[in-house]
Amino acid sequence: MGTVQNVERQRPHVPARTLDTDFPLIDSDPYARSSDYAVGAATAAAGPAFMLLWERLSPSYVGKGGFAPIMRLVGVIGITGGFLQFYNRSIFRFYGFTENQRERDMDMREMVDKVKRSEPLYGKSSLTPYMQGVASRNSRYAGVWLHIIPWLNFVNHDQHGVDTAKYYQQAERELEAERTKAL
């Protein structure tokens, strides 16, 4: 029997597919606005609220033992729908499917500040570059298929499908402006 050596697999970087959208891509691994949470919570609460309203308008007369299981089921369906609504609103902005100017501005500010502090743009990861690439490839644009299979990415990696040169160029412009202002 031969011995197995711990060899790190290397693959070339597989860039993210560029989609033709009305608004620019910010990140293929998005996060949410506070309004997304509010819409998700309202969507989750709508199902049970409508069930209570229907019960008042047209009572079912099933008694306490019959109504509680239905409310639990409607609550679970509402929570699932609320999560899907909240997550889809977020990913559509980050993928560039809907308006995303606020996120672009916040992203540029955050990343330029990291460049100025000489920090890694997407943080540090304990995984090998190969495993980061696997995580990235498995979750890239996974939000589009969220209604089929929820595939969330909890891995920190540096492959977000965005040309990071724009952050460095903006940081250079800002640093140069600060230098000329100081003179």
Side-chain angles (χ1 to χ4, degrees):
M1 299 210 139
T3 60
V4 178
Q5 294 180 0
N6 186 8
V7 177
E8 182 180 330
R9 298 181 197 170
Q10 293 294 321
R11 289 218 177 133
H13 173 71
V14 179
R17 181 177 179 188
T18 304
L19 300 179
D20 184 27
T21 60
D22 294 335
F23 304 96
L25 170 75
I26 297 173
D27 191 339
S28 58
D29 285 332
Y31 52 91
R33 282 184 188 175
S34 57
S35 64
D36 297 332
Y37 290 107
V39 169
T43 303
F50 282 125
M51 270 310 273
L52 288 171
L53 176 66
W54 287 329
E55 184 64 22
R56 279 207 182 269
L57 296 176
S58 178
S60 61
Y61 302 110
V62 295
K64 286 187 175 181
F67 192 65
I70 296 299
M71 283 301 289
R72 284 193 290 272
L73 175 64
V74 170
V76 168
I77 292 171
I79 289 171
T80 302
F83 172 75
L84 291 172
Q85 178 70 10
F86 137 79
Y87 200 74
N88 277 329
R89 282 175 50 97
S90 173
I91 61 169
F92 286 172
R93 276 195 312 280
F94 277 83
Y95 289 164
F97 297 162
T98 59
E99 181 278 322
N100 61 6
Q101 184 63 45
R102 179 177 172 224
E103 280 74 16
R104 284 186 302 186
D105 294 342
M106 289 170 49
D107 178 64
M108 181 62 76
R109 182 77 271 135
E110 176 187 357
M111 295 303 183
V112 168
D113 289 346
K114 284 185 176 187
V115 169
K116 287 180 177 180
R117 292 189 305 261
S118 299
E119 295 176 2
L121 290 180
Y122 297 107
K124 296 177 183 172
S125 178
S126 61
L127 295 178
T128 65
Y130 172 76
M131 290 309 296
Q132 291 177 44
V134 168
S136 172
R137 288 186 294 276
N138 285 337
S139 67
R140 200 174 287 158
Y141 293 110
V144 176
W145 297 99
L146 184 68
H147 61 289
I148 304 296
I149 181 169
W151 194 275
L152 307 175
N153 182 9
F154 299 105
V155 174
N156 190 11
H157 58 82
D158 62 355
Q159 300 175 21
H160 291 261
V162 179
D163 182 12
T164 57
K166 64 184 177 183
Y167 305 127
Y168 292 95
Q169 292 165 352
Q170 180 64 27
E172 286 176 7
R173 284 191 289 269
E174 288 182 14
L175 289 171
E176 184 61 32
E178 290 171 10
R179 273 185 238 131
T180 57
K181 184 187 265 188
L183 295 177

